[in-house]
């Protein structure tokens, strides 16, 4: 049997494999589904991808994805501005909000310190976080980076940098599974680890 | 908790739900994965979607997706041109090829007769198929439309139209599960139903 799939279609099937959890078989099924039954949806998806890649800003205060210069969450007067929670990625912030365990504000690092990959504090602009933490309003910095080697190194570095300040630095408790990532942990475990956060 | 997801991101999450088997949760996971970890893949996916929607031609002989005017399969001299297999959609042709149970050529209807939806023989240009079948080369038309009400109606209509010709009209056997669709059946069952095809 010769493969008679046209190259444009093969390219689409291949591209769909960049989605997490999508292997060759479901990529093929998705491609045929889009072309045969939902061309409108396919066009919309292409458009949204480009819109998100081009148009999605980062909030000037917290670094989270935002439509506007400063995001809604940062502008929300009901949030407790004395508590600043530091996470690695936007998906982590999202997960924290789902767990409903933090009423303060956030700072998204958009990365982590990773000596093995040559990523140091300057590469993820940790000085910007330190300036923010020392604005006179923040009283507690809650380190909610992942419990991976990199997340731990990042938390350690930040706590060292804030050691001589009057700011309380806490770390979410190791209620999280070892090696676990916030994005995939169940919300109950995550909430527990926030309530049990400990002073560093 | 206010939803602080920016609208561009929400729109992307929503668009991803057009993919088969993707619910709200995995759509969200996919969106964050693309934005945080695979922007290159996301851009490529958007491009391939548009390429496929704009650039994918249909073969002039069999109606299958093709990069060229006439597809490779139709041009393949090793295929038995006396046997013409009729399927509803390109994914069905693909499935037939995977089952390795048909050495002849194909005709893809790109649809089916569906009285309830007001889709009649003219809407899917069945006359084009009849002209093709009567080209003097085709000796057998194998009806491999689905065993759904519409697939059955389509097969019945085509067999009626070819009744007075000298062409043998066969139907893949009901080895397929009732209500089953070619795209999702296991290849063994599908192959069996081709071997057991019966004269109509
Ligand atoms: Zn913000
Ligand atoms: Zn063809």
């Amino acid at each position: 049997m010769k493969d008679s799939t046209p190259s444009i279609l093969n390219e689409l099937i291949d591209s769909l494999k960049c989605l997490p959890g999508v292997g060759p078989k479901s990529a093929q099924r998705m491609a045929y589904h889009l072309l045969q039954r939902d061309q409108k949806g396919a066009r919309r998806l292409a458009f949204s991808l480009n819109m998100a890649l081009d148009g999605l800003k980062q909030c000037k205060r917290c670094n989270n994805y935002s439509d506007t210069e400063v995001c809604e969450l940062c502008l929300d007067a009901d949030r407790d501005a004395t508590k600043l929670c530091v996470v690695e990625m936007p998906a982590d912030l999202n997960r924290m909000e789902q767990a409903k365990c933090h009423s303060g504000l956030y700072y998204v690092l958009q990365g982590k310190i990773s000596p093995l990959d040559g990523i140091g504090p300057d590469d993820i602009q940790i000085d910007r976080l330190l300036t923010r933490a020392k604005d006179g309003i923040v009283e507690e910095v809650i380190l909610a980076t992942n419990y991976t080697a990199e997340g731990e190194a990042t938390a350690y570095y930040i706590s060292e940098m804030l050691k001589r300040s009057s700011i309380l630095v806490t770390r979410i408790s190791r209620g999280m599974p070892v090696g676990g990532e916030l994005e995939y942990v169940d919300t109950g475990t995550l909430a527990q680890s926030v309530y049990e956060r400990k002073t560093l």
Side-chain angles (χ1 to χ4, degrees), chain A:
Chain A
M1 182 191 93
K2 238 189 276 181
D3 182 13
S4 57
T5 314
S7 60
I8 296 179
L9 182 53
N10 264 333
E11 170 60 23
L12 173 58
I13 293 169
D14 238 44
S15 307
L16 284 162
K17 285 190 236 157
C18 78
L19 297 169
V22 175
K25 275 206 168 177
S26 46
Q28 198 179 62
R29 219 179 104 226
M30 284 175 169
Y32 278 114
H33 173 89
L34 293 173
L35 291 169
Q36 289 176 179
R37 300 179 199 194
D38 197 5
Q39 296 216 357
K40 227 176 115 187
R43 188 71 77 179
R44 184 181 165 205
L45 175 57
F47 184 79
S48 313
L49 283 165
N50 284 325
M51 274 295 284
L53 292 167
D54 296 332
L56 211 53
K57 293 189 193 71
Q58 278 176 227
C59 169
K60 280 197 164 176
R61 285 190 54 78
C62 71
N63 288 336
N64 191 16
Y65 297 134
S66 175
D67 287 328
T68 46
E69 292 267 293
V70 178
C71 77
E72 268 184 73
L73 199 152
C74 283
L75 291 171
D76 186 348
D78 291 339
R79 313 275 317 198
D80 179 355
T82 66
K83 287 182 167 47
L84 184 68
C85 178
V86 177
V87 293
E88 293 177 20
M89 301 300 279
D92 301 330
L93 184 158
N94 196 44
R95 200 75 184 138
M96 288 288 296
E97 286 297 287
Q98 284 169 353
K100 298 188 176 109
C101 54
H102 174 63
S103 58
L105 299 176
Y106 291 93
Y107 187 91
V108 181
L109 292 169
Q110 293 283 5
K112 59 202 162 188
I113 296 174
S114 177
L116 284 177
D117 301 313
I119 300 169
D122 290 348
D123 299 304
I124 57 170
Q125 298 181 284
I126 293 232
D127 50 333
R128 276 192 61 215
L129 162 62
L130 300 178
T131 308
R132 166 79 188 274
K134 290 169 183 166
D135 65 359
I137 300 164
V138 174
E139 292 168 10
E140 178 181 0
V141 167
I142 302 168
L143 298 171
T145 53
N146 290 324
Y147 262 109
T148 55
E150 294 91 352
E152 284 276 70
T154 308
Y156 178 76
Y157 181 85
I158 296 168
S159 75
E160 281 296 302
M161 289 296 108
L162 292 172
K163 208 161 57 177
R164 263 176 292 264
S165 74
S166 62
I167 300 157
L168 177 67
V169 180
T170 58
R171 176 92 171 99
I172 56 171
S173 85
R174 200 185 280 276
M176 302 248 316
V178 175
E181 300 186 323
L182 263 73
E183 194 178 343
Y184 305 111
V185 86
D186 68 288
T187 52
T189 307
L190 181 56
Q192 192 65 24
S193 72
V194 170
Y195 297 135
E196 285 182 33
R197 66 186 184 272
K198 59 181 190 219
T199 308
L200 292 184

